[in-house]
Amino acid sequence: MIIGLDVGGTHTDAVLLDDTGPLKEIKVPTDHRDLLHTVTTGLDQVMADIDPQQVQRLVLSTTLTTNAVVQKQLAPVGMIVSSGPGIDPALFRTNAHYHVVAGSIDHRGREVQPIDGDEIHALAQALQAADIRYIGVVGKFSVRNPSHEQQIADLLNNHFEKIFMGHHLSGHLNFPRRIATTHLNAAVYPVHKKFFTAVKQSLAAKGLRIPIRVLKADGGNTRFTTSIDSPGQTVFSGPAASIIGSVGYAAPGTETVVLDIGGTTTDMAVLIDRAPLLAARGVDAGPHKTLIRALDTTSIGLGGDSAVRVVDGDFQIGPRRRGPAMAFGGPVPTPTDALLVLKKLDTGDHERAREGIGTLAGQLDQTPEEAAAGIFDCCCRLILEAIDHMVAQINSKPVYTVHELRDGHRAAPRELLVLGGPAPHFAERLEQLSDYTVRVVPKWHVANAIGAALARTTSEVTLFADTEQKTATAPEENFNKKIDGGYDRQAALTDAFDLLRDKAIRHGAQANHLEMEAVETQEFNMVRGFRTIGKNIRVKVQIKPGLMHGYAKLLES
Amino acid sequence: MLTAPNKTGLVFFPAFDWAISPTHPEREERLLYTQDQVLEEGLFDIDGIVEYKPDLVTAHDIQRVHFCVPDVAAVTTESHLISAGGAKTIGRAVMDRHVTRGFALVRPPGHHAMRVVHGARGFCNVNIEAVMIEYLRQTYGVRRIAIVDTDCHHGDGTQDIYWHDPDTLFISIHQDGRTLYPGSGFIQETGGPTAVGTTLNIPLPPNTCEEGFLYTIRNVVRPILDEFKPDLIINSAGQDNHYSDPITNMNFSARGYAELTALLKPDVAVLEGGYSIEGALPYVNVGIILAMAGLDYSHVMEPDYDAVKQRQDPQISAYIEQVGESVLSIWQNRAAIQAKMQNGENFYRRNRRLFYDTDNITEEQQETIRLCPACSGTWKIDTTSSLGKRILAVHIPRRACSACRRLGRDWYTEAANGYDSVLLQDRPEDRYLTNPCNES
Ligand SMILES: [Zn+2]
Ligand SMILES: [Zn+2]
């Protein structure tokens, strides 16, 4: 049996399931001041009356690190950044203790300027004096040659509790994002570690030794023990659980849009043959542009509780929420009130809903029913427009080869999967107003917890080889090997897949069901003068997000 | 987070699967390290830098500029349509005011492609700047355009295309043609008899440093631009003046290119040549992008940059000043030079022999232009290539008077026998016709 538990903004959902399907579902209110209490309450309830020995795994999806980032409750970090020429690295300052040091590496991983050991020693003393315990070390082009980051970390070792190096966190190029990513990882490390240790202890106190896993922003899970080295992967994982929970209901072989209609926002994602698309560069949350692997989600400020006004003779819905619907004691009319007036919902104070919608109707010389229908249609149209916009964005992503520009895949989803409170009502109207086939996700009210429980372990490895320099490097995996001129794309793929397999199993994947794929394989001849001096090879392999092997069928039945 | 003062559009199209041949300078690898640098610097994350996917240009877009022999499909590949399309995408983004300026970082290049295209010259098949410019003129009605070509090689293709167009100011700054391909671009080349002074050439001596280039922009190019008052400034942004370029002999730098861009303030920059793919392009392109966006580029520097080597020989400085004075004097006396060139005649003829180095083709041209008092004059080219094709190419300019429009159509319909094809570029009508007898 597996337990999935998703801590949401207002509710925390937990499911218990086995290979026959969900056995038990519970919902408890989220207490943001005491998430540990919320989680243990949820666990106690979902595990009541079952034999704990039968629980193989507990997967937690929490807003813990996200809240720490959003509320700026971050641990003080010492950032040590070596850049060399380019954009002034001072412009990428993340926090108070941000220090630019000597050292420079070029695009092929060649050293341009060495680091200065004395400078690092002096910094170490200053940071210790300032009581800094967590360190981020980042170099430009460190993914092509991590030796400077490694040297700096070695010089600092023993003086600090935890050191994060940029090249361990992502194999992608993007120096400013590497800085931001490393800083976030170090800054949420203590809160992440403390929380999960506490969950573990509270289970242990009850005599339970259940392995804990954590849901990441890319919709995959990882063991708590491995998450400790990259806790930033859980930041902004909010939408992932619901999307993964919907994957099993998408028709195989098609393209699908998942819509999660909440109180304040509607989150959207595209699935291609049941695999959610990943964000091209990483988490992009307001000022936080990072290399943290994440699902490509779009969020619009429209939900059941969005404030509705009349502006220039038209409804304006959202993007703000001013409280719950009037039917539930809120201050302004909302789409939920409109659903009540249309008799699609029958909870809440019907009179207050009618009163709220009535004031809007008065401004437009309509009956409350007409206004409610207008508001509802307006919501559906805004959602459909946002879907069109999202698909257009996906299709306008630049490509870099003639082949891809000519024959590249164009996303054209035909199916919508809807979840969230008002899902059934929206599904019907969205289908009437569009060409999509629209379905409601079964068990949509706990799809998030199901998603957390059944997510597979995802992973990615980037490998860069340069036969002139005779090296193959996979920075995230501490992999560096001497190669000869015969090393080619195929050899690089073999190495990359070996590394990915090891990494995935270490993080908790099912060894005999690794769904590995190559995302990028490029091989260039390097020519100087009129002579080929070597090959430059770039390979990226991954286990993409989706359901654990064997569970997709279970959801279909 | 960084914010660009000037909202800047970028098309980045490295064509990683296209080469002229495996070891040719125009090969797959050319923009690989530039991409690495641009990605690592995080340029696409800067607020106000917008990356666009290139559109493809159509055969019609190309026919506004070129007479393709035997037709557009025969002398272009998809990569040319994308590369020209990248320039067009940026031009549109600027004209639609989605961005204030833009840079098409595309390949293959185009500035050696002339009006008549029998094949590839200097790695170029179609002139991507000209295809963009004529598209913008057709779509947005822009009239006065300046092109400043800062590639190390003379932009002989662009010069040929705009030789007779007084609305297009073409200024080429390049390594002296006595020392480098294509061997043209001398000060005396100043445009056809109805457009004298709107073609200007500034040949600089080998080993010109930052000082010489920036002097030329400040003291020669900028004053002429200020007087011409173009609606748009286009920069053919070749990067082969760099000190590390393997096929040229200049001594320019990445920061120099950035400063040049900041002085020139182009609305649209289009990548041309530049073959120091590791030592120069990554840094030059980052410098140009930052300068276009109005961001600080003072920390952009090549790993092997040496300030001492940038000290320009005083003799070179003196020579460059002289070149600048000659060019300015031509610009100031352009009306008199034009009157002398026309000499009261009704028509002007010239014969030329052209060579296509990339495809090893020679071409003989006889060109005739009407010296019209009311417009820039209809012209025709009688061309024969070593591939054996004889073509008559007739051009009616955009703002042709009615007499010139009639003349162009007469030349086209009444062409004598003996041509493999007869082509008409009817710019006022935006129609491009082939072989009158086959049509009616
Ligand atoms: Zn050139
Ligand atoms: Zn005329």
Side-chain angles (χ1 to χ4, degrees), chain B residues 208-219 251-252 310-314 317-318 320-321:
Chain B
T208 298
C209 301
E210 288 166 358
E211 184 193 327
F213 281 99
L214 300 176
Y215 171 89
T216 305
I217 298 290
R218 281 198 191 95
N219 299 291
N251 195 21
F252 204 31
Q310 280 298 326
R311 285 190 203 135
Q312 189 166 278
D313 182 337
S317 305
I320 292 173
E321 280 175 38

Side-chain angles (χ1 to χ4, degrees), chain A residues 117-129:
Chain A
D118 294 341
E119 186 185 18
I120 305 299
H121 278 302
L123 250 181
Q125 281 179 2
L127 290 170
Q128 277 180 291

Side-chain angles (χ1 to χ4, degrees), chain A residues 24 37 69 77 90 95 178 213 223 233 236 258 305 351 430 440 451 511:
Chain A
K24 193 168 175 189
H37 176 72
V69 173
V77 174
N95 60 326
R178 189 174 310 121
R213 295 197 177 196
R223 295 187 214 272
Q233 287 183 313
F236 300 109
V258 177
D305 296 342
E351 277 317 303
L430 286 169
V440 177

Side-chain angles (χ1 to χ4, degrees), chain A residues 172-179 281 291, chain B residues 39-40 42 45:
Chain A
H172 294 228
L173 292 174
N174 196 317
F175 181 54
R177 282 181 185 250
R178 189 174 310 121
I179 294 171
R281 290 172 210 156
L291 292 171
Chain B
L39 291 180
E40 180 68 353
D45 281 331

Side-chain angles (χ1 to χ4, degrees), chain A residues 452-494:
Chain A
L454 297 185
R456 70 169 72 122
T457 300
T458 53
S459 220
E460 183 186 75
V461 165
T462 306
L463 185 140
F464 171 74
D466 184 326
T467 65
E468 194 208 12
Q469 311 225 50
K470 302 192 182 354
T471 57
T473 312
E476 297 151 287
E477 296 309 287
N478 278 331
F479 173 85
N480 201 307
K481 104 171 183 186
K482 284 272 153 228
I483 55 171
D484 60 26
Y487 196 84
D488 60 3
R489 188 201 307 243
Q490 199 48 54
L493 273 174
T494 305

